Structure formats: C-alpha cells, structure tokens
Amino acid sequence: VPELEPVALRLSAPLPQITTLAAGREALWLGTTRGVYRVDRATGRTELLRLDLPEISHGEVHVSAVIEDAKGELWIGFWLDGLARYQPERRQVRRLLPGMEAAGALRSTSIYRFLPDGEGMLVGTNRGLVRYQRDCDCFRGLNSPDWDRLEGRGVIVSDLALEPGGAVWAGSWGTGLVRFSNVERVIERQVPVDGRADALAHPMITALRAEPDGRLWIGSYGGGLQFAPAASRRAGEFWPLTALPWGERRVESRFIWALDRTDGDLRIGTGHGLLSWSDRDARLRDVDAGVASVRSLLDLGQGTRLVGTMFGLYREHDGRLDRIALTAPGELPTAAQAIWSLARWDDEIWAGSGGGLWCLGEDLEVRARVEVGTEAGQLPRPVVWTQNSATQG
C-alpha cells in the first residue's frame, strides 16, 4: 500500500470562489471568479496565474472552465470574456474572442465545458458547440439548424459525450439532444414529441454517458433516464428511446445528476436516492432510496464507490452506504455538507463541498483542507462545482 502525503495549500491570501478544478501532470489548476490558480504538485504552493491580458481586468477574470490537454497546454474558458490558451513552458497566452480571425466559428464569449476529442478539443458554449482542430489550427462549428434559429436567446451546451467511433453527443439546457456524426458531422436531433412515449422525455439534459457498445444513456431534469441502443439508430429516421421503469418512486428521483459504470451495473445519482440498473435482468433497483440529491459519483475499484450528495459524503460497498465524516484530525464531526464534485489526483481524492475543499487519503481520511472563512488561507465562498480529474487528449 503506497504511503500518501498530504497536499497542504500554501496560500498568501484568501482564494476567491472556485468554479472548476482540473488535474494536470505537475499542477492542480483551480478556476475561480478572479482567474486561474496553480497548485504545485510537489510543494502545495498556490499562486495566481498572471495572464498577460491587461484588457480583461488585468487577467483576473471569472473562469468557468479549465483543462490541461495531452500536450501540456492549458485551456481556459471565461464567463463573458471568450477563451485563452496558455503554454506554461513558454509562458505565452493566446486569447480568442468571436470576430477574431483565429477564432473561426467561435461565436460565444461564455465558455461552459471542454472535452478532448482525439487531436482536437470540443468547446461547449452558450451559443452552441465548436471544435478546435490541430491540423489547421482552427475552430470549426458543430451547429444545428435549430440552434441557428435561436440566435439572441442562446443555446447552452450542458453536457458532452463521445462515442467510441468519434461521434459527438451534445446535451443542451432546454433544446434537447443533438448528435454530430464522425463523418462530415451530419446532425441528428432528439426532442420531446407529443404522443410518443419513446421520444426524449425532457428537453433539459443533465447527464450523458456513451457506452463502448454504442449505447447512449440520457438523463434529464425531470424525465428520468433513457437509453438508445446503437442498433436502433438509423440515419434519417426517428430513433426510439427506451425509458427505465421508474415505478412509484418519488418524483425527485426523476432528476438525474450523475451516472457511473466501471464494472457491472450502472449507478444512477438522482434527486432522491441512488439507483442501480442491471443489464442482466433489466431491473432498476434502489441502492439507497433515502439518500437525497446525489450530485457526484467516483469509482474507487474493488466494488467501492464514493457518493457525493447535497447532505454529505458516503462510501458505497457491496450495496451498502456509510457516511464519511469530513473531519480534520482533532476536530469534532461537522454538519453534513453538500459534495458537488469528486475527483482523483494520483492517489488522492479531492472533494469539492459547500464548506471547503477537501483532500482525502487512501483510507478516506482527511489529508488536507481549505476552509471557508475570513482568515488568510481560507476560502471566502463555498467551492468547486465541477472537476476534471485527468489529463486527456
């Protein structure tokens, strides 16, 4: 069993509100409401990344997405200020805004999500989806004609998923689901259809998961969970979706927030209860119907999984959930805290909560903590809505 060393954040001043987190090869990147902070892997030293962008608040701006790609380049998505690409080795930053020649099809100033796509990068915005291509060093649009008709109101891309063959699924907040094929990016769209029980159940997509066999899982904000087998999808035809049998479960359980499958059954985090779907007998089971508002799932292997909820952190093993007390050594147990996100960074586990940022060791003991407070070295606001746990490319 490897020994784990705590990662203590060495702060010279309080951090702003953390909006997103990404683990790189040598550093942990924190996106905040006042820029990007770098946490050094070896020392834990935390410092603001000084971007040479004086035209946008001296480089200290609201960051809404961040990711380090396979080549070590940092992608930074801003709220209302476009995006930037930062090369740490050269200390060079390149800012992109709609209208710039290098921005190509990028039409939005608000960036929500990054997803590596082979040699490219998918960029989800509030004006649709674009893809960066390294072969031309350019941004090309992946756009639906229905999205074009919504100009002025915006199309917020809420989640992205890649099929094994390279097709892209984009879930939006209010306009359904769109698939862009891997050949010429042909568009096919799924929306609710009156009178059809096999149509998309809800236009607000909250969770997507593409399986290796081509099946797509679709979770929505009130429509439960549906799936589309690869065999049922035929170009130019209506794609029938299969809905899981929800039975008499509470209506809050139809709000899907998290999906996870490493081996075995699919785990489903809902607004009320953790559920499990088995392909073996096509049954939906309650793992724990009383755990409310599951927002994050993290598989730890060997049948163990962490479950982050609005009311605390749980460990699932053999179908049983036990609460994990987020308590630093020598402290009394704290009140249950909302766990918005979970991520693994090497042999450490990072939990973004409503009361601070936690680092857990292999035995789920608290190794490091940054609290919310007014003192130096504390966070003035609750932290970490989303995390990206691995360098991808």
Side-chain angles (χ1 to χ4, degrees):
V1 177
E3 293 187 2
L4 301 180
E5 294 293 333
V7 176
L9 305 188
R10 295 172 52 194
L11 305 174
S12 58
L15 282 172
Q17 181 176 358
I18 300 174
T19 56
T20 185
L21 180 153
R25 286 173 290 187
E26 298 181 359
L28 189 70
W29 301 101
L30 307 179
T32 80
T33 52
R34 293 191 61 196
V36 176
Y37 284 76
R38 182 184 187 276
V39 183
D40 186 82
R41 177 186 293 269
T43 66
R45 180 177 177 83
T46 304
E47 58 184 353
L48 177 66
L49 180 63
R50 296 288 181 179
L51 300 174
D52 187 18
L53 299 172
E55 69 274 20
I56 49 174
S57 305
H58 306 287
E60 299 180 13
V61 289
H62 188 137
V63 174
S64 49
V66 64
I67 191 172
E68 182 181 310
D69 66 19
K71 297 183 180 298
E73 187 174 27
L74 192 69
W75 291 70
I76 306 166
F78 299 116
W79 174 258
L80 298 179
D81 283 299
L83 67 85
R85 296 167 58 191
Y86 176 74
Q87 296 180 328
E89 293 182 359
R90 301 179 182 178
R91 295 184 179 272
Q92 292 181 346
V93 62
R94 181 183 182 189
R95 185 188 179 208
L96 294 167
L97 279 172
M100 291 181 175
E101 182 177 354
L106 182 68
R107 298 184 297 171
S108 174
T109 57
S110 293
I111 310 301
Y112 283 93
R113 188 177 293 272
F114 294 120
L115 179 65
D117 174 21
E119 283 297 305
M121 180 72 73
L122 293 166
V123 183
T125 79
N126 69 343
R127 295 281 296 277
L129 181 65
V130 297
R131 181 180 187 270
Y132 170 74
Q133 298 182 192
R134 291 193 183 276
D135 57 358
C136 62
D137 191 26
C138 64
F139 288 83
R140 299 189 183 277
L142 299 181
N143 206 36
S144 163
D146 299 294
W147 290 356
D148 284 334
R149 289 196 288 269
L150 295 172
E151 290 289 8
R153 184 153 63 92
V155 175
I156 297 175
V157 175
S158 54
D159 203 1
L160 295 169
L162 283 175
E163 284 187 6
V168 180
W169 292 93
S172 68
W173 188 253
T175 56
L177 179 68
V178 173
R179 179 182 185 268
F180 301 93
S181 75
N182 59 337
V183 180
E184 297 182 355
R185 298 302 183 188
V186 176
I187 300 164
E188 298 186 72
R189 185 177 179 216
Q190 300 295 300
V191 296
V193 178
D194 291 340
R196 292 205 63 143
D198 58 353
L200 189 67
H202 200 283
M204 295 182 180
I205 307 302
T206 51
L208 296 174
R209 180 179 177 85
E211 300 275 33
D213 62 2
R215 178 172 45 178
L216 179 77
W217 292 95
I218 308 162
S220 62
Y221 188 73
L225 187 63
Q226 299 173 283
F227 68 88
S232 69
R233 303 199 304 263
R234 298 179 180 177
E237 297 182 10
F238 178 85
W239 293 353
L241 304 180
T242 300
L244 299 194
W246 234 249
E248 300 299 321
R249 291 177 176 83
R250 290 177 52 157
V251 66
E252 293 90 345
S253 70
R254 295 181 181 271
F255 294 78
I256 311 301
W257 296 111
L259 300 171
D260 179 67
R261 186 210 300 267
T262 303
D263 295 308
D265 298 343
L266 181 73
R267 287 296 189 268
I268 308 162
T270 80
H272 196 279
L274 178 66
L275 307 179
S276 176
W277 170 260
S278 172
D279 291 322
R280 296 184 300 276
D281 55 13
R283 286 191 59 189
L284 187 67
R285 297 179 174 86
D286 293 296
V287 178
D288 194 319
V291 175
S293 201
V294 176
R295 294 304 179 102
S296 52
L297 299 168
L298 180 64
D299 187 84
L300 300 180
Q302 299 181 336
T304 301
R305 179 179 285 102
L306 286 182
V307 180
T309 80
M310 289 291 291
F311 302 95
L313 180 64
Y314 293 81
R315 174 183 180 268
E316 180 204 347
H317 187 73
D318 291 335
R320 175 180 173 178
L321 266 66
D322 298 306
R323 183 186 292 276
I324 302 298
L326 294 179
T327 305
E331 290 185 346
L332 296 175
T334 57
Q337 297 176 356
I339 305 298
W340 291 99
S341 58
L342 294 165
R344 188 193 294 270
W345 191 27
D346 291 339
D347 293 323
E348 298 161 344
I349 297 162
W350 290 79
S353 80
L357 181 65
W358 302 82
C359 176
L360 307 180
E362 189 176 67
D363 295 324
L364 304 183
E365 76 281 9
V366 174
R367 289 292 199 178
R369 178 187 180 188
V370 184
E371 301 178 79
V372 175
T374 58
E375 302 295 326
Q378 295 181 324
L379 305 176
R381 298 285 299 277
V383 312
V384 190
W385 296 95
T386 60
Q387 301 184 50
N388 183 281
S389 60
T391 302
Q392 305 176 56

